[in-house]
């Protein structure tokens, strides 16, 4: 009986342990998954380009096609769950940058067809600058981790440059 309880105990402990991945493996998985999402989003963006000329206004195009696409992309990227704190922090930084970019696009689509007004437009451009800073920070971290873990991100990196 003691033997059975001991085996049951070992089985329970063995089944309850979360599989551990190394930071390098987690980074590789992150780059691969992110690349797939980026490629899919690029494809969808190209599909919506035809709607630009068909739309009555930039605002209408933005609200009906562009903004929903960005929102969907952020939602999809939010499903990525890195296993290590280092890669999770990297990913969260990227999501913050994308969310700020989305908020800028929302404001820009509302104000884009109006006459510029520096005081009114300043918060919008502040969001854009914050977004740029977060994305630059994220890219720099991606390059640092690429070197640290010796993971080639050149194919992924070229997809980022196309945006």
């Amino acid at each position: 009986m003691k033997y059975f309880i001991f085996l049951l105990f070992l089985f329970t402990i063995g089944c309850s342990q979360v599989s551990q991945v190394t930071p390098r493996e987690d980074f590789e998985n992150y780059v691969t998954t992110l690349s797939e999402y980026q490629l899919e989003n690029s494809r969808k963006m190209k599909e919506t380009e035809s709607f630009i000329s068909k739309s009555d206004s930039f605002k209408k195009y933005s609200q009906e096609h562009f903004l929903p696409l960005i929102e969907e992309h952020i939602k999809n990227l939010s499903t990525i769950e890195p296993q290590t704190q280092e890669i999770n922090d990297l990913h969260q930084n990227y999501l913050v940058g994308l969310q700020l970019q989305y908020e800028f696009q929302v404001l820009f689509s509302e104000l884009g067809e109006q006459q510029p007004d520096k005081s009114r437009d300043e918060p919008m451009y502040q969001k854009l600058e914050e977004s740029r800073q977060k994305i630059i920070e994220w890219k720099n971290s991606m390059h640092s981790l690429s070197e640290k873990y010796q993971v080639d991100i050149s194919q992924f990196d070229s997809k980022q440059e196309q945006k």
Side-chain angles (χ1 to χ4, degrees), residues 35-94:
S35 293
E36 291 167 3
Y37 279 122
Q38 299 289 24
L39 190 60
E40 177 67 15
N41 189 58
S42 294
R43 184 188 62 74
K44 288 179 179 180
M45 285 288 216
K46 287 182 194 255
E47 289 174 4
T48 66
E49 288 175 2
S50 65
F51 293 108
I52 294 174
S53 60
K54 296 175 186 173
S55 292
D56 298 337
S57 69
F58 171 76
K59 181 177 179 177
K60 183 177 177 183
Y61 165 75
S62 261
Q63 292 175 343
E64 291 178 3
H65 301 285
F66 187 68
L67 292 174
L69 192 57
I70 294 174
E71 194 172 17
E72 177 188 355
H73 184 58
I74 293 171
K75 183 179 174 183
N76 288 339
L77 292 177
S78 296
T79 65
I80 297 174
E81 296 180 356
Q83 301 296 307
T84 59
Q85 190 64 45
E86 181 178 38
I87 308 305
N88 188 55
D89 291 347
L90 171 77
H91 184 57
Q92 292 306 313
N93 191 41
Y94 185 51

Side-chain angles (χ1 to χ4, degrees), residues 125-136:
Y125 288 111
Q126 180 62 35
K127 286 208 182 289
L128 178 61
E129 184 55 33
E130 289 174 36
S131 169
R132 284 182 180 158
Q133 290 304 315
K134 284 289 185 187
I135 298 299
I136 289 169

